[in-house]
């Protein structure tokens, strides 16, 4: 059975395999509740940028104009 190791109720810090060995590690940065990146099998994975998603929300679901993405 695979599992997770948590810092607190909301923030995972590691994924564990069935043997209890660490498979992935979450690293936090400026935002305390959002991992800055994850390291798995020596590869660093970063979450997608939130700015584009926020821009879409402000435009009520419409795609942002091309110039909006260049900010």
């Amino acid at each position: 059975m695979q599992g997770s190791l948590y810092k607190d109720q909301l923030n995972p810090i590691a994924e564990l395999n069935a043997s209890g060995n660490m498979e992935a590690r979450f690293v936090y940065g400026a935002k305390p509740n959002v991992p800055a990146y994850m390291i798995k099998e020596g590869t660093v994975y970063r979450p997608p940028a939130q700015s584009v998603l926020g821009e879409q929300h402000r435009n009520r679901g419409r795609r942002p104009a091309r110039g909006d993405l260049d900010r």
Side-chain angles (χ1 to χ4, degrees), residues 28-61:
Y28 292 83
K31 297 179 181 180
N33 293 325
V34 180
Y37 57 92
M38 175 184 76
I39 303 170
K40 186 170 185 172
E41 297 178 358
T43 303
V44 175
Y45 298 92
R46 295 189 187 279
Q50 297 297 314
S51 61
V52 172
L53 296 176
E55 190 68 34
Q56 287 176 341
H57 178 70
R58 283 191 292 277
N59 288 324
R60 297 189 178 136

